[in-house]
Structure formats: structure tokens, C-alpha cells
């Protein structure tokens, strides 16, 4: 992986107007590559980059961009797709959905690590389910302490389909957390994001998983065996600390 962005398009022309427009909308000089993968034949390239220009743009704009490039060596043409993201897992999922293997898309977050297993699980859920999420709004702070959120409509959710994935960082511990909240509609979700009245509401399925875990533990105890700590905690709902930072309204 390199920190200089190279789309590897020397000698290639856009295959269509959409690709020409997409390439012109992303200036390589503004991108710092965080993760990339190029197929051995050179037919495909996948990149996740930090868009440095966002720092001087409208506050709250997403700072990550995913890029997929498909080349036709015979015709010397290429197709170009890109999308902005407020969270790394969404950037990864977008590329995985378009054929990139997941392993090369793990960036080196030097000195920063997930704060807990629930953060790891939330990130994996996004990567696995990104096609089920309709992104409604995003926000990413430009200053420390870092906070970013993505509001989506979960197409599979039976109850409270509007979900907020909130990522916050801890300066002292060099860690970050990612929590999922559930709301009945966009208005309710936006109200919580502005006022932070109470903890982030947990998705209903978390409670169902926790109830199932307690039932399994009770059945195990009734059979005379003692459940392990891992079995007892599996499926427990994540705790979501209240965050009181006030955010500007996203565009």
C-alpha cells in the first residue's frame, strides 16, 4: 500500500460518460490512500482513501471515499465508480459488495484499536449487510475528539428500521467505539443526534438475543452443568454510553 494515489490509468480512456464524470469528480492529489487492492491481471483496482480536501469544505462532510476501477486492456478503456463514506466499515462493505476481497481493505490504524468486541461485531455487521442499508444522512467531525455517524434505513429490520451507527474516539486510550442505535423514523433519530437525551436506543433484536442467551443459560443450569462466561455473555446487548456533543445539521 502507498500513501500516494495512483489510479493506474495512463493510456486508458473512459468507457462512458458516467466514468468520465466520476473520475473528474475525484482528484487524486486530494486523496491519501488508506487501503488498496489491485488484481494480478490489472483488470480491477479497489481503493479506500482519506479525502484531505474535505477538511476545508463544508463541516460534517464524509471524509472517506471508496473507488473501484475496471480496465479493458484490449480496448484501453476503463469504468470508474466512487462513493463517499463517514465510516470505514461502510467504505469496506461498498467495495466488498463490488467484488473486492475483504483482507486487503483493512487499513493500518496506527495506535488506534477497537475499544471492545462489540465494536468489532458492529463493524463486521456493516461489512456483511451494507447492501441492506439505504444511507440517509452522514456526519464526520474534522477535529478531535473524533465522532462520525451514519444514519441508514435497514431494509431487513421489522421494528425500528432507521439505524444510527455512531463512532466515537477516546484520545487518552487511543481506541474507538462503534455503537448501533434503532429508531422508528428519521425525525426521531435526528432528534436524538441533536439533543442526546439518554443513551443510544438499542435495536430490538439485541434484546431478543439477550433473552435467548438467558434461556440457554437457564436450561444449562437446570441440566446440572455450569455455563461458561463466554456462553453466558454471547448475545448480550451492547451498552451505548450517552454522548452529549452537539452536532450541526447535516446537509
Amino acid at each position: 500500500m502507498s500513501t500516494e494515489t495512483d489510479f493506474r490509468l495512463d493510456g486508458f480512456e473512459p468507457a462512458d460518460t458516467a466514468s468520465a464524470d466520476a473520475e473528474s469528480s475525484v482528484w487524486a492529489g486530494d486523496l491519501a490512500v488508506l487501503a488498496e487492492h489491485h488484481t494480478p491481471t490489472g483488470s480491477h483496482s479497489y481503493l479506500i482513501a482519506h479525502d484531505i480536501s474535505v477538511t476545508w469544505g463544508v463541516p460534517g462532510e464524509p471524509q472517506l471515499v471508496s473507488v473501484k476501477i475496471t480496465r479493458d486492456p484490449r480496448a484501453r478503456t476503463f469504468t470508474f465508480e466512487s462513493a463517499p463514506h463517514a465510516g470505514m466499515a461502510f467504505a469496506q462493505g461498498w467495495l466488498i459488495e463490488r467484488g473486492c476481497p475483504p483482507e486487503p481493505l483493512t487499513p493500518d490504524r496506527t495506535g488506534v484499536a477497537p475499544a471492545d468486541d462489540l465494536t468489532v461485531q458492529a463493524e463486521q455487521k456493516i461489512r456483511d449487510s451494507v447492501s441492506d442499508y439505504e444511507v440517509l444522512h452522514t456526519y464526520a467531525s474534522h477535529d478531535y475528539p473524533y465522532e462520525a455517524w451514519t444514519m441508514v434505513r435497514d431494509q431487513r429490520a421489522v421494528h425500528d428500521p432507521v439505524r444510527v451507527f455512531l463512532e466515537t474516539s477516546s484520545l487518552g486510550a487511543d481506541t474507538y467505539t462503534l455503537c448501533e442505535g434503532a429508531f422508528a423514523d428519521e425525525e426521531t433519530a435526528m432528534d436524538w443526534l441533536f439533543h442526546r437525551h439518554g443513551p443510544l436506543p438499542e435495536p430490538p433484536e439485541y434484546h431478543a438475543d439477550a433473552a435467548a442467551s438467558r434461556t440457554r443459560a437457564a436450561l444449562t443450569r437446570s441440566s446440572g452443568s455450569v455455563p461458561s462466561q463466554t456462553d453466558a455473555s454471547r448475545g448480550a446487548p451492547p451498552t451505548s454510553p450517552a454522548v452529549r456533543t452537539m452536532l450541526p445539521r447535516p446537509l
Side-chain angles (χ1 to χ4, degrees):
M1 186 194 74
S2 65
T3 56
E4 296 183 1
T5 305
D6 182 3
F7 291 148
R8 305 187 182 191
L9 294 177
D10 291 344
F12 287 83
E13 296 293 332
D16 47 46
T17 302
S19 294
D21 292 342
E23 184 203 8
S24 63
S25 68
V26 179
W27 188 42
D30 283 339
L31 302 182
V33 175
L34 303 175
E36 61 185 334
H37 173 66
H38 306 276
T39 57
T41 62
S43 60
H44 294 81
S45 290
Y46 306 88
L47 302 93
I48 298 176
H50 175 227
D51 187 350
I52 303 172
S53 68
V54 173
T55 304
W56 305 290
V58 178
E61 287 187 333
Q63 301 180 35
L64 300 177
V65 60
S66 296
V67 175
K68 177 190 177 182
I69 301 170
T70 304
R71 304 176 189 82
D72 184 339
R74 293 185 178 181
R76 305 301 293 175
T77 59
F78 68 88
T79 59
F80 194 104
E81 301 174 73
S82 68
H85 308 279
M88 179 59 66
F90 281 95
Q92 294 167 325
W94 190 88
L95 290 175
I96 292 170
E97 185 183 28
R98 285 159 178 78
C100 184
E103 291 79 11
L105 296 179
T106 303
D108 180 15
R109 293 194 179 192
T110 304
V112 182
D116 48 40
D117 289 340
L118 296 174
T119 294
V120 175
Q121 293 169 16
E123 290 180 316
Q124 189 61 49
K125 179 180 179 180
I126 294 171
R127 287 190 290 266
D128 292 342
S129 309
V130 70
S131 60
D132 297 315
Y133 297 142
E134 174 193 358
V135 177
L136 303 173
H137 304 283
T138 64
Y139 176 86
S141 63
H142 296 177
D143 302 314
Y144 226 86
Y146 177 78
E147 173 175 303
W149 53 259
T150 301
M151 185 190 300
V152 304
R153 187 179 306 279
D154 188 343
Q155 310 289 354
R156 300 181 304 169
V158 178
H159 303 288
D160 297 339
V162 174
R163 303 298 170 93
V164 171
F165 289 93
L166 175 67
E167 180 178 332
T168 57
S169 60
S170 172
L171 178 60
D174 291 328
T175 60
Y176 66 94
T177 61
L178 180 65
C179 301
E180 178 184 2
F183 301 87
D185 50 47
E186 291 182 52
E187 182 180 359
T188 306
M190 197 64 74
D191 179 69
W192 185 91
L193 285 165
F194 276 110
H195 300 103
R196 308 298 172 96
H197 34 55
L200 189 63
E202 297 168 349
E205 58 266 25
Y206 285 16
H207 299 283
D209 290 343
S213 178
R214 288 193 295 269
T215 299
R216 287 194 299 268
L219 290 174
T220 302
R221 286 194 296 270
S222 66
S223 68
S225 60
V226 178
S228 66
Q229 183 177 0
T230 301
D231 291 337
S233 61
R234 185 180 294 116
T239 56
S240 305
V243 183
R244 297 179 175 83
T245 306
M246 295 297 291
L247 301 181
R249 181 177 297 276
L251 299 179

